[in-house]
Amino acid sequence: MLMARFPAASHNPTNGSPHQDGGQGGNQGIVGDLTYYAPGLGACGSYSTDNDNICAISHITYDAAANGPNPNTNPLCGKQIRATRNGNSVVVTVVDRCEGCKANDIDLSPAAFNQLADAAEGRVKVTWSWMS
């Protein structure tokens, strides 16, 4: 099974350059399913709304990066992802884990999802990459 690659714990959110994916061809992106959900209190310990540009990443990826029993201290919390579909892209911040997602899937807030697809589509393919 392919696992989504995640960046090292160090992160500079002001730097918008894409993360290089460990020698696998540069920033080619990760392909998975894109869905949306109703945000609230996320696994990272912060509250989010439908209008925030946020995401939940797969529980597989989230849990693999855990550094202890407290999910609020996961090093992926606060990392940014650029999601791209049909020439449109949106940058979202990781605030939650998606229990129903496969390894390469991401779940966005409705506002972020609507920048890439119509809500009526529900589930679409997306290419995404970690921002460094």
Side-chain angles (χ1 to χ4, degrees):
M1 173 186 335
L2 287 176
M3 296 272 307
R5 295 168 299 276
F6 50 88
S10 64
H11 174 65
N12 179 358
T14 61
N15 179 349
S17 62
H19 173 73
Q20 296 301 307
D21 65 13
Q24 300 208 0
N27 189 32
Q28 295 178 358
I30 299 163
V31 177
D33 284 351
L34 177 69
T35 52
Y36 64 94
Y37 72 112
L41 176 60
C44 293
S46 62
Y47 286 91
S48 302
T49 71
D50 289 354
N51 296 317
D52 295 324
N53 278 352
I54 53 94
C55 75
I57 58 171
S58 168
H59 63 101
I60 298 164
T61 303
Y62 189 90
D63 295 348
N67 59 0
N70 184 348
N72 293 207
T73 62
N74 189 300
L76 297 181
C77 291
K79 300 258 186 247
Q80 292 186 311
I81 289 172
R82 179 182 307 279
T84 304
R85 179 172 184 267
N86 295 337
N88 296 316
S89 66
V90 62
V91 175
V92 294
T93 302
V94 174
V95 298
D96 207 350
R97 69 192 285 275
C98 176
E99 189 64 36
C101 291
K102 294 179 184 171
N104 292 338
D105 298 347
I106 56 174
D107 209 7
L108 302 184
S109 65
F113 185 90
N114 288 333
Q115 293 179 56
L116 300 177
D118 187 280
E121 293 179 86
R123 179 180 298 271
V124 296
K125 288 293 183 193
V126 68
T127 301
W128 62 273
S129 58
W130 293 102
M131 305 290 290
S132 58

